[in-house]
Amino acid sequence: MANVSKMPALIPNLHPDLSPLAEIAYNLYWAWTPQCRNLFAAVDRASWQRSEHNPIKMLRKLTRKRQERLMANAQFMGQVRQCRRNLRGYLRAKTWYQQKYDRKFNGKIAYFSMEYGLHESLPIYAGGLGVLAGDHLKSAGDLGLPLVGLGIFWKQGYTRQLLDKNGDQVDKFKTLNPEDAPLREITGRSGKPLRIKLPIGPDIVTVRGWRLEVGRIPLVLLDTDLPDNTPKDCRMTRRLYSGDRDTRIRQEILLGVGGWQFLQAMKLPISVCHLNEGHAAFVALKRIAEIISTAGDTFAQAKRYVAATNVFTTHTPVPAGNETFELKLFEKYMGQYAELMKIDSSTFIDLGRIEPGNKKEPFGMTPLACRMSDRRNGVSKLHGAVARDMWKGLWPGKKIKNVPIGSVTNGIHLRTWLHPRMADLLDEYLPQGWEEKQDQPRVWQAVEHIPDEELWRLHQELKAEMIEFAREKARRRLRRNKASAVQVARVGLMLDPEALTIGFARRFAPYKRAALVFENPTRFARILNHSTRPVQIIFAGKAHPADTDGKALVKKVARLADSPRFRNRVVFLEDYEMEIARYLVSGVDVWLNTPRKPQEASGTSGMKPTLHGGLNLSILDGWWPEGFDHRNGWAIGKGQDHDGTRAHDKRDAAELYHILEREVVPLYYQRARDGLPKRWIACMKHSIATIPAVFNSHRQVKEYWSKYYLPAMRKA
Ligand SMILES: *Cc1c(COP(=O)(O)O)cnc(C)c1O
């Protein structure tokens, strides 16, 4: 592997005795290891908060005085050594992969993704797609797979959502300098920073790469913000999912073509490419052109090889959501590939069309990715079926059930989403080594042994913690918006720790219907404001900066939260990111999910609360039909596809109210003599016992390995 500059120099102000802190900070292992997170918090609590849990930023500003105090603290220094020992132990330990496949394969799997949600301090993600990619890398590392991630260093990340007094989303972009992130510049043999010259249409763009350690997995993040480049090229890696079509195609060329070129320059032996969504599909064209020019293969031969070693995961069950490019734009930037691949230009364009020869069809990244990958999948069983139907045109004459698109249902990285206190409880009651065996349903059955009062007490504590966190966020927003002292003080009345609490947090894409609960505001207000059985709901989520409908939804919910009728019972937390997600999924009673079926390919947020006994209340879309067993939550509707009408929205809302009134609320408030909701707790345990065992990313990665990576490795 190409070298990276040495570590200690990267935090030059740090005393050598504190250098283990830098070693820990430069591997994201700390982000899912509570002991390491506590260690950083102990360095300087205020600065830890201010830096948004960014240890590099915090350590770079650590004063001499503070450093001396820390070094004089024997207990702290002991924890430093312990954390470093654990990190090194983790990196050295024999893995699942080594035990099964060691030395069988020399090559690596390159995982391409436009976004990665790894931790809130590295905001290079927009939502579920990124969090999935992050969890995939973490589990791939835990299991020891020979995988390397490839992405883009979005220096200004994604929008930071502020809500103004009127509930309008104000988009803010914060710059993260690479030296304030756990990134090391990738160098070449000579030790000098590695640079590639990437042709993007008529331009040549200089690209550098940053290496991020995600446990055992290296993630290479490309960056064009360099003095060699024009201002326009520098801006290309500034903001995720922003800019016009011209910018977008250049970003996708960077990810696919640039990604491959960079991995080659690093001299990494790559056998298999996994395209997480169609954004990176140009990598296939680059590989084909390279094989033709170096080995003299024909297009057909080269394509056969590339497809045999490509894996493609589609995530978008709505035709319009699948990326296409106008032909003129496509030809401007990619036209030269026809010649490089020794095919004529109409054959070339047809690679991106469902129907070859259809002059009206633009160039689609999903058809291209499907053609260029022999192994393709959707992200839940239902989505697999939807994708087979959607893309059947690519295989004319095949019956839908024989369309070669399979499925691997998404999962979550348990350590990332599990509250440390809940982890302690599981350690106590689950069999030893449960974490390594997390994909064995048997292991989770021991949850039944947790005494009711113990689980309930912990749940109440986590809920109180979440409420305090939400109040603090609300106060900060009010102060920023110049609210009065009285208004700020009133936040103390917001959210009741004893009330049934629902969570709804995800991107505010209109198909997710964040405002569905407000279809009939009077009925919903009655449910929430019941005198003896109150209910409350916490919202969080950003709209894409260019999505006017999504922004209208944000405003609608934010304004309702501020209205007298819903005050203190409906709360909107601004700037949804992974920290908010962690609090919500460990503290809520119910997780609400209301997409228009079948537009939610999988969804993963609902898997996270189940680790803490949260119950799902969801449309039967995405992963839920696989997870739901009538005892671990509720299904809204009978699984009909949404017919696109307002009437259907109203029906879904009515059904939702009905379930809340007749089932959820009564069950929650049905208390035994000791005050415990026995039947509710039984459902909580059942949720823990049945869902994490299946919807974890270890199971997901192992499935990718055995179904797709392993067979593709054998073709390399
Ligand atoms: C898990 C997660 C998501 C995914 O949410 P869905 O409901 O599956 O769309 C999005 N954003 C963040 C911050 C998450 O943690």
Side-chain angles (χ1 to χ4, degrees):
M1 177 140 216
N3 248 325
V4 288
S5 33
K6 289 274 177 292
M7 211 168 346
L10 286 173
I11 306 186
N13 61 312
L14 213 55
H15 189 282
D17 289 359
L18 290 174
S19 68
L21 284 172
E23 181 177 337
I24 299 162
Y26 271 87
N27 189 319
L28 279 185
Y29 167 82
W30 69 261
W32 66 88
T33 310
Q35 195 189 21
C36 300
R37 295 208 304 256
N38 294 341
L39 180 73
F40 288 135
V43 168
D44 184 339
R45 227 159 261 282
S47 163
W48 178 240
Q49 290 296 340
R50 251 197 327 274
S51 69
E52 304 188 296
H53 305 157
N54 178 337
I56 312 279
K57 221 170 172 170
M58 175 180 73
L59 294 173
R60 276 163 52 90
K61 287 196 193 124
L62 208 57
T63 61
R64 264 278 107 146
K65 223 169 106 197
R66 183 82 211 153
Q67 293 190 34
E68 274 156 19
R69 277 244 292 285
L70 290 171
M71 288 186 293
N73 181 340
Q75 195 196 346
F76 177 82
M77 294 307 283
Q79 282 163 354
V80 172
R81 282 189 298 274
Q82 183 66 44
C83 282
R84 180 169 67 174
R85 224 172 9 253
N86 290 353
L87 167 63
R88 290 182 174 177
Y90 171 81
L91 295 176
R92 261 198 320 265
K94 198 165 172 91
T95 64
W96 173 84
Y97 178 83
Q98 281 171 329
Q99 280 164 17
K100 292 196 121 138
Y101 301 98
D102 205 15
R103 282 187 274 277
K104 273 220 179 77
F105 304 102
N106 291 322
K108 286 178 178 288
I109 302 145
Y111 183 88
F112 288 75
S113 181
M114 204 59 143
E115 48 171 312
Y116 289 92
L118 293 155
H119 185 259
E120 60 268 19
S121 60
L122 198 69
I124 54 171
Y125 63 94
L129 182 70
V131 174
L132 176 82
D135 283 2
H136 192 85
L137 295 197
K138 290 169 185 175
S139 273
D142 290 343
L143 296 167
L145 255 61
L147 186 139
V148 47
L150 200 293
I152 292 176
F153 177 57
W154 303 105
K155 195 174 182 170
Q156 294 192 348
Y158 191 60
T159 176
R160 303 294 303 264
Q161 175 194 57
L162 299 180
L163 294 178
D164 70 11
K165 280 205 295 294
N166 305 318
D168 277 306
Q169 168 169 324
V170 178
D171 294 302
K172 218 180 124 190
F173 290 86
K174 283 194 193 168
T175 299
L176 178 63
N177 291 315
E179 59 273 19
D180 280 334
L183 302 174
R184 287 183 286 161
E185 185 159 13
I186 296 169
T187 56
R189 277 243 180 76
S190 63
K192 285 220 267 304
L194 187 63
R195 298 278 192 270
I196 60 162
K197 297 279 179 196
L198 173 67
I200 301 190
D203 309 324
I204 302 284
V205 179
T206 306
V207 182
R208 67 173 158 184
W210 300 98
R211 181 178 164 132
L212 170 65
E213 310 292 340
V214 184
R216 296 191 186 92
I217 301 292
L219 171 57
V220 175
L221 295 172
L222 305 179
D223 179 5
T224 60
D225 189 9
L226 286 164
D228 301 15
N229 290 327
T230 63
K232 181 176 158 203
D233 291 336
C234 289
R235 277 198 302 273
M236 191 163 54
T237 55
R238 211 168 55 167
R239 295 177 182 179
L240 172 64
Y241 303 139
S242 76
D244 51 14
R245 300 308 297 159
D246 190 86
T247 307
R248 178 58 84 93
I249 195 169
R250 295 155 63 83
Q251 291 168 334
E252 297 194 358
I253 292 168
L254 174 66
L255 181 66
V257 180
W260 180 258
Q261 211 175 305
F262 207 91
L263 292 171
Q264 296 300 104
M266 288 172 74
K267 313 236 179 300
L268 277 182
I270 303 296
S271 317
V272 170
C273 291
H274 184 177
L275 316 179
N276 186 44
E277 191 49 298
H279 305 130
F282 292 146
V283 64
L285 306 181
K286 173 70 182 167
R287 288 178 75 195
I288 292 173
E290 200 173 275
I291 293 170
I292 291 174
S293 89
T294 56
D297 286 21
T298 63
F299 171 76
Q301 288 168 321
K303 179 191 165 277
R304 205 174 307 129
Y305 177 79
V306 167
T309 53
N310 266 356
V311 180
F312 168 51
T313 302
T314 175
H315 291 263
T316 318
V318 189
N322 284 267
E323 182 114 61
T324 59
F325 291 108
E326 288 306 322
L327 293 186
K328 243 177 95 183
L329 185 64
F330 177 75
E331 290 198 306
K332 171 178 169 197
Y333 284 110
M334 290 302 289
Q336 78 271 30
Y337 270 83
E339 204 182 312
L340 293 172
M341 297 193 301
K342 306 226 180 309
I343 51 178
D344 61 58
S345 104
S346 61
T347 311
F348 180 37
I349 303 280
D350 281 348
L351 294 174
R353 283 189 173 131
I354 302 172
E355 194 191 326
N358 178 358
K359 297 270 186 288
K360 286 202 217 81
E361 220 188 306
F363 189 92
M365 297 301 274
T366 308
L368 175 69
C370 281
R371 285 205 174 84
M372 292 293 155
S373 314
D374 286 350
R375 295 161 230 285
R376 321 160 187 88
N377 70 288
V379 288
S380 66
K381 287 186 178 136
L382 173 65
H383 178 229
V386 170
R388 285 191 285 281
D389 188 28
M390 229 172 108
W391 301 107
K392 58 183 184 284
L394 289 169
W395 291 273
K398 263 206 199 308
K399 289 199 178 123
I400 293 177
K401 68 171 177 18
N402 295 330
V403 167
I405 302 178
S407 72
V408 176
T409 303
N410 288 342
I412 54 166
H413 185 249
L414 297 194
R415 270 293 154 181
T416 296
W417 297 108
L418 185 60
H419 193 289
R421 304 271 309 277
M422 188 67 201
D424 291 342
L425 192 65
L426 294 179
D427 283 343
E428 197 174 327
Y429 289 96
L430 263 46
Q432 262 217 326
W434 65 268
E435 216 174 332
E436 284 71 48
K437 292 179 273 185
Q438 59 181 258
D439 52 345
Q440 299 176 14
R442 199 164 34 80
V443 169
W444 294 86
Q445 281 159 15
V447 164
E448 301 298 339
H449 302 319
I450 303 176
D452 284 359
E453 57 280 7
E454 209 172 326
L455 181 60
W456 188 248
R457 196 183 325 121
L458 178 61
H459 173 63
Q460 290 300 98
E461 283 168 20
L462 300 187
K463 191 176 187 176
E465 198 179 289
M466 168 189 75
I467 289 175
E468 201 29 64
F469 172 81
R471 287 178 181 164
E472 196 42 46
K473 286 250 164 207
R475 287 187 197 105
R476 244 178 287 160
R477 176 181 155 211
L478 284 169
R479 287 194 194 104
R480 196 192 60 239
N481 287 333
K482 313 248 182 305
S484 68
V486 175
Q487 280 173 304
V488 176
R490 269 213 308 258
V491 168
L493 301 172
M494 183 185 110
L495 299 170
D496 171 358
E498 300 297 324
L500 168 60
T501 306
I502 303 172
F504 183 104
R506 46 180 61 81
R507 290 181 303 115
F508 269 44
Y511 79 86
K512 293 175 185 263
R513 294 192 292 183
L516 189 75
V517 286
F518 297 108
E519 269 298 329
N520 181 342
T522 311
R523 188 166 172 190
F524 191 52
R526 205 160 53 225
I527 295 171
L528 298 193
N529 295 317
H530 192 281
S531 59
T532 53
R533 305 189 310 191
V535 178
Q536 56 198 3
I537 181 163
I538 307 179
F539 287 92
K542 303 173 186 175
H544 183 280
D547 177 4
T548 21
D549 293 343
K551 285 189 161 171
L553 270 177
V554 168
K555 183 168 184 166
K556 178 172 180 182
V557 175
R559 287 191 72 101
L560 284 163
D562 286 337
S563 70
R565 165 150 78 152
F566 291 111
R567 187 166 298 144
N568 298 333
R569 294 259 182 266
V570 176
V571 169
F572 195 122
L573 301 180
E574 64 183 2
D575 201 27
Y576 185 48
E577 37 66 50
M578 289 176 76
E579 185 190 24
I580 295 182
R582 279 200 308 278
Y583 275 99
L584 293 186
V585 303
S586 59
V588 297
D589 299 296
V590 171
W591 196 256
L592 178 66
N593 181 37
T594 54
R596 294 199 176 101
K597 192 185 170 194
Q599 300 193 35
E600 192 63 83
S602 164
T604 52
S605 63
M607 303 167 188
K608 300 165 192 169
T610 69
L611 291 169
H612 313 94
L615 304 180
N616 277 273
L617 168 56
S618 172
I619 298 277
L620 279 166
D621 198 9
W623 73 283
W624 190 229
E626 284 168 68
F628 176 54
D629 74 355
H630 298 268
R631 286 206 292 142
N632 52 16
W634 297 269
I636 306 166
K638 300 204 167 49
Q640 319 85 328
D641 281 0
H642 194 279
D643 63 15
T645 63
R646 291 279 301 125
H648 199 132
D649 290 342
K650 287 197 192 308
R651 274 207 308 283
D652 283 347
E655 165 96 10
L656 168 57
Y657 299 135
H658 185 81
I659 298 172
L660 281 173
E661 290 161 347
R662 298 294 175 87
E663 300 186 41
V664 183
V665 175
L667 190 69
Y668 184 83
Y669 284 104
Q670 183 189 346
R671 302 295 163 112
R673 225 172 278 134
D674 56 7
L676 294 180
K678 294 277 184 201
R679 285 186 50 218
W680 185 276
I681 295 170
C683 292
M684 288 173 73
K685 288 185 182 173
H686 192 64
S687 184
I688 306 171
T690 53
I691 293 171
V694 180
F695 301 93
N696 62 75
S697 49
H698 278 33
R699 187 272 310 147
Q700 169 195 308
V701 167
K702 283 185 189 175
E703 211 175 317
Y704 274 106
W705 170 258
S706 60
K707 271 167 116 161
Y708 301 131
Y709 296 161
L710 177 62
M713 288 283 231
R714 294 201 165 117
K715 300 273 184 186

